Amino acid sequence: KNKVDWRTVPLQKVAADILGIEYKEIITDIDFTPGKRPIENKYVTLSEFSTFQAKFYNYPNGWQTIINYLNSVGYKVMVISKEETKLKNIINRTNEPIWKTMNNIYHSEFYMGVSSGPAWLSRSLRKPVVMISGFTSENAEFKSNIIRIINKEVCNSCFNDVNNGFDRGDWNYCPRHKNNAERQFECTRKIEPQYVIDRII
């Protein structure tokens, strides 16, 4: 139903093409009434998970390094993933009902994560989004109210490359370097935590 190859256009345009409407990047509205602030401290929200490994932030202990820094400068970090987390020094609000998750995001200073649903949800709640993604191109997601972290010095944007197939059933999908342990997932393995910190603080 797409007029053009879905890999070459923003994700929101994919939906517009299927619906047969003119594409314009928008911030969607959500039927949401804010509740009580969950904690008094200044905090950010984080979701580290997505649908397969290529979307993760694959730098060893990358999230933990960023969390430790944020704690050191006065921010609490609240993990709001559906999945359980092994991250330390965080406020664990995983696997909560969606209305609680939205409230947690709404009262945060900003949201951090990867190319996944919680980033879009945070944007709809008008929260600044810090997205780490090398798997998707900068054109794939939204462009407003986002700090996009990508390393263009290494392999990147395979999701939006028309020369690649896309195996939804392969958790370790990495079309260019799957059989090369030195380079597999280098798109985020080679984004150093300090680079992320420098962009967000």
Side-chain angles (χ1 to χ4, degrees):
K1 297 181 181 180
N2 292 92
K3 298 175 183 177
V4 296
D5 192 311
W6 58 268
R7 291 168 291 190
T8 66
V9 297
L11 290 170
Q12 232 178 35
K13 188 176 188 308
V14 173
D17 286 349
I18 291 172
L19 293 169
I21 60 176
E22 183 180 352
Y23 168 66
K24 177 183 176 183
E25 180 175 296
I26 62 170
I27 299 179
T28 52
D29 290 320
I30 288 183
D31 183 10
F32 168 71
T33 302
K36 182 180 178 182
R37 185 178 176 87
I39 62 170
E40 291 184 9
N41 304 77
K42 185 166 60 173
Y43 72 96
V44 302
T45 47
L46 166 67
S47 179
E48 68 204 274
F49 296 97
S50 194
T51 46
F52 43 92
Q53 194 67 48
K55 285 190 172 187
F56 281 44
Y57 178 31
N58 290 295
Y59 189 96
N61 297 312
W63 282 129
Q64 192 62 62
T65 302
I66 295 167
I67 288 166
N68 293 346
Y69 175 79
L70 288 171
N71 286 171
S72 76
V73 295
Y75 289 89
K76 301 291 184 184
V77 177
M78 181 184 290
V79 178
I80 50 92
S81 306
K82 177 74 173 171
E83 301 85 351
E84 291 298 322
T85 185
K86 294 182 180 178
L87 295 170
K88 309 295 183 187
N89 305 319
I90 52 99
I91 299 168
N92 190 338
R93 297 290 170 89
T94 57
N95 197 29
E96 291 201 332
I98 189 66
W99 65 269
K100 281 191 176 182
T101 297
M102 287 193 292
N103 194 60
N104 290 334
I105 294 169
Y106 177 83
H107 289 286
S108 68
E109 301 296 313
F110 59 90
Y111 166 83
M112 295 188 302
V114 295
S115 178
S116 64
W120 290 86
L121 177 61
S122 299
R123 182 171 187 261
S124 294
L125 293 168
R126 276 55 178 182
K127 287 285 112 178
V129 172
V130 176
M131 181 187 294
I132 300 176
S133 181
F135 169 69
T136 55
S137 74
E138 291 170 291
N139 292 327
E141 295 90 8
F142 45 92
K143 292 188 174 182
S144 61
N145 211 20
I146 183 172
I147 295 175
R148 178 58 189 270
I149 311 292
I150 187 170
N151 182 354
K152 291 191 171 181
E153 300 299 315
V154 297
C155 183
N156 66 84
S157 308
C158 62
F159 180 73
N160 299 103
D161 184 346
V162 296
N163 296 311
N164 292 330
F166 182 44
D167 186 350
R168 296 178 186 275
D170 183 0
W171 177 261
N172 287 311
Y173 170 76
C174 182
R176 298 172 182 152
H177 306 296
K178 181 175 180 179
N179 298 313
N180 183 343
E182 290 293 316
R183 299 198 64 188
Q184 189 176 25
F185 308 134
E186 72 177 11
C187 57
T188 56
R189 276 195 305 105
K190 294 192 176 179
I191 296 176
E192 295 189 7
Q194 188 59 51
Y195 178 71
V196 181
I197 290 166
D198 290 344
R199 294 288 308 280
I200 63 178
I201 299 298

